[in-house]
């Protein structure tokens, strides 16, 4: 089943209306800008999966750099053929955006073969760290490498970055996100099912012949993202990764068959009012969700959606506080109407008095 067929089927099962269904798939005609809540930050290149940070009072966004390709959409994500990174910079929300030069190319990573997907960044003691997933040079049943997570460093937040010769030991799959708590300890969250291959690590080692989607156990607890505290060097893990468990209101793990709630990819952690917010994408149902806990490891209690489906298949995000407000960075396909050519956007995020997040509709009715 292709993504298009799967989307149509899921929309019917999930009760998503026709308008939302239309927003999930590529359109044949140019999109009307008035349909969208927010407009692209840049139009000179295609960008997605934005990891935003405030460094020295400036906003830096570390996105995927989408590139045109003739590869058809599939469940392995082969159409997402990104091979380098370029950093976006702005003085404040709404200010002009500078697109940096190539910060890192896959050809500069000794262990990697292709597909540099969603990155993240961190800063410590004068050094900027770029964390990135890429396929290594092994071959699985589909002739593709396994996704591992690497790290590269620079003295400039826009790069260029120099990659370490090997991936980070103990980290695997995709979508690294690094959160530094008030006590200075940093944690890496990572993982993604389907093309991200998290389901192939269920026993602690990679199965090159494993499932292409999930564990195919809808009645069992869903696969979870991973979390591990990092060493002070910010380039290695201090412990074996743990499950970032998401519980329902009754304290039971979210099940694999609950596609509107379960983790798919795109972990992002932030802290507000003493509460830890673990946010993530549901992938094939196209929501951004959040769950809350009392520590960086969880378990986290599911709270709901905070972004409804965008135009396009993927939804991946980051959340920062700057200028006295909270902001959500995300992406859709407004400029291209193609799932693999996306554009980064930003909109304000609002909280209720009890700490819950107000749901955002990215499309204007």
């Amino acid at each position: 089943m292709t993504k298009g067929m799967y989307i149509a089927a899921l929309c019917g099962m999930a009760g998503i209306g026709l308008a939302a269904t239309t927003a999930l798939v590529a359109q044949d005609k140019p999109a009307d800008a008035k349909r969208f809540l927010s407009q692209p930050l840049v139009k000179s290149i295609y960008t997605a999966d934005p990891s935003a940070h405030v460094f020295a009072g400036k906003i830096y966004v570390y996105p995927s750099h989408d590139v045109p390709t003739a590869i058809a959409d599939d469940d392995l994500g082969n159409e997402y053929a990104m091979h380098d990174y370029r950093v976006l910079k702005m003085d404040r929300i709404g200010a002009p955006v500078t697109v940096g030069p190539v910060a890192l190319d896959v050809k500069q990573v000794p262990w990697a073969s292709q597909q540099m997907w969603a990155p993240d960044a961190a800063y410590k003691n004068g050094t900027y760290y770029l964390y990135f997933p890429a396929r290594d040079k092994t071959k699985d049943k589909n002739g593709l490498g396994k996704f591992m997570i690497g790290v590269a460093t620079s003295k400039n937040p826009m790069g260029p970055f120099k990659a370490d010769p090997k991936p980070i030991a103990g980290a695997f799959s995709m979508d690294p996100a690094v959160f530094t708590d008030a006590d200075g300890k940093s944690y890496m969250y990572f993982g993604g099912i389907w093309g991200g291959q998290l389901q192939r690590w269920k026993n602690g080692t990679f199965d090159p012949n494993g499932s292409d989607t999930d564990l195919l156990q809808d009645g069992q607890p869903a696969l979870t993202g991973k979390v591990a505290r990092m060493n002070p060097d910010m380039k290695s893990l201090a412990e074996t990764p743990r499950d970032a468990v998401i519980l329902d209101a009754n304290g039971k793990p979210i099940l694999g068959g609950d596609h509107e709630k379960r983790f798919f990819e795109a972990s992002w952690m932030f802290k507000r009012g003493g509460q830890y917010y673990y946010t993530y994408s549901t992938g094939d149902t196209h929501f951004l969700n959040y769950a809350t806990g009392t520590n960086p490891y969880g378990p986290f209690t599911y709270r709901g959606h905070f972004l409804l489906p965008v135009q396009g298949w993927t939804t991946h995000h980051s959340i920062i506080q700057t200028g006295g407000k909270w902001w959500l960075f995300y992406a859709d396909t407004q400029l291209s109407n193609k799932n693999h050519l996306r554009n980064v956007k930003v909109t304000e995020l609002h909280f209720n008095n009890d700490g819950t997040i107000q749901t955002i509709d990215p499309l204007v009715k």
Side-chain angles (χ1 to χ4, degrees), residues 94-151:
V97 179
T98 298
V99 180
V102 173
L104 182 68
D105 190 283
V106 71
K107 292 182 292 186
Q108 300 167 322
V109 182
W111 57 268
S113 62
Q114 65 183 81
Q115 287 184 297
M116 300 182 88
W117 284 4
D120 193 21
Y123 171 81
K124 184 177 181 180
N125 297 335
T127 299
Y128 296 90
Y129 298 84
L130 179 69
Y131 304 97
F132 60 93
R135 293 189 188 274
D136 69 9
K137 296 178 180 179
T138 63
K139 300 290 184 181
D140 68 359
K141 65 179 183 180
N142 301 308
L144 299 169
K146 64 178 178 293
F147 269 106
M148 302 297 288
I149 295 173
V151 60

Side-chain angles (χ1 to χ4, degrees), residues 41 51-61 89-95 268 270-272 318-329 346-351:
L41 289 181
S51 291
H53 293 272
V54 179
F55 294 138
K58 308 293 185 183
I59 301 169
Y60 295 88
V61 184
K89 175 186 177 182
M90 66 187 90
D91 289 342
R92 55 177 172 77
I93 301 294
W268 184 265
F270 69 95
K271 189 177 181 181
R272 179 182 182 274
S318 59
I319 295 169
I320 63 170
Q321 185 180 25
T322 185
K325 297 180 178 181
W326 289 88
W327 300 94
L328 168 67
F329 288 77
V346 64
T347 192
E348 189 174 354
L349 194 68
H350 297 278
F351 294 82

Side-chain angles (χ1 to χ4, degrees), residues 46-346:
Y46 291 111
T47 54
D49 313 321
S51 291
H53 293 272
V54 179
F55 294 138
K58 308 293 185 183
I59 301 169
Y60 295 88
V61 184
Y62 298 81
S64 299
H65 176 203
D66 285 349
V67 294
T69 178
I71 300 172
D73 288 9
D74 64 33
D75 292 344
L76 300 176
N78 283 310
E79 69 273 24
Y80 301 107
M82 304 88 88
H83 60 80
D84 65 9
Y85 297 112
R86 301 180 68 178
V87 185
L88 311 182
K89 175 186 177 182
M90 66 187 90
D91 289 342
R92 55 177 172 77
I93 301 294
V97 179
T98 298
V99 180
V102 173
L104 182 68
D105 190 283
V106 71
K107 292 182 292 186
Q108 300 167 322
V109 182
W111 57 268
S113 62
Q114 65 183 81
Q115 287 184 297
M116 300 182 88
W117 284 4
D120 193 21
Y123 171 81
K124 184 177 181 180
N125 297 335
T127 299
Y128 296 90
Y129 298 84
L130 179 69
Y131 304 97
F132 60 93
R135 293 189 188 274
D136 69 9
K137 296 178 180 179
T138 63
K139 300 290 184 181
D140 68 359
K141 65 179 183 180
N142 301 308
L144 299 169
K146 64 178 178 293
F147 269 106
M148 302 297 288
I149 295 173
V151 60
T153 55
S154 176
K155 294 299 182 181
N156 188 317
M158 300 189 78
F161 289 84
K162 180 176 177 56
D164 277 13
K166 295 182 179 180
I168 297 173
F172 50 85
S173 188
M174 64 176 188
D175 293 356
V178 173
F179 165 75
T180 300
D181 209 345
D183 61 4
K185 295 179 180 178
S186 295
Y187 303 82
M188 177 180 284
Y189 299 81
F190 61 89
I193 60 174
W194 287 32
Q197 303 173 328
L198 185 61
Q199 68 278 358
R200 297 191 184 181
W201 291 89
K202 64 178 181 178
N203 296 321
T205 57
F206 183 74
D207 178 3
N209 298 309
S211 169
D212 286 337
T213 53
D214 57 26
L215 293 182
L216 308 177
Q217 297 174 346
D218 286 357
Q220 298 298 314
L223 282 163
T224 66
K226 303 294 184 179
V227 54
R229 182 170 54 83
M230 303 190 73
N231 282 314
D233 66 2
M234 299 295 286
K235 300 172 77 172
S236 59
L237 303 184
E239 59 188 1
T240 300
R242 313 182 192 188
D243 290 342
V245 176
I246 304 169
L247 305 176
D248 64 19
N250 297 314
K252 302 294 185 182
I254 299 296
L255 299 181
D258 193 347
H259 286 210
E260 287 197 10
K261 295 181 180 178
R262 64 91 171 88
F263 171 84
F264 188 101
E265 62 185 3
S267 298
W268 184 265
M269 169 63 70
F270 69 95
K271 189 177 181 181
R272 179 182 182 274
Q275 189 162 227
Y276 294 84
Y277 288 74
Y278 180 60
T279 65
Y280 59 96
S281 169
T282 65
D284 52 6
T285 50
H286 319 283
F287 293 105
L288 288 182
N289 287 353
Y290 73 109
T292 58
T294 58
N295 67 80
Y297 293 113
F300 304 100
T301 300
Y302 175 79
R303 299 298 184 190
H305 310 316
F306 66 90
L307 183 70
L308 300 181
V310 299
Q311 176 180 289
W313 203 91
T314 63
T315 187
H316 191 129
H317 67 295
S318 59
I319 295 169
I320 63 170
Q321 185 180 25
T322 185
K325 297 180 178 181
W326 289 88
W327 300 94
L328 168 67
F329 288 77
Y330 64 104
D332 63 19
T333 61
Q334 177 181 336
L335 294 180
S336 72
N337 292 313
K338 296 180 180 180
N339 287 327
H340 69 286
L341 297 177
R342 297 157 291 180
N343 42 257
V344 167
K345 298 183 170 186
V346 64

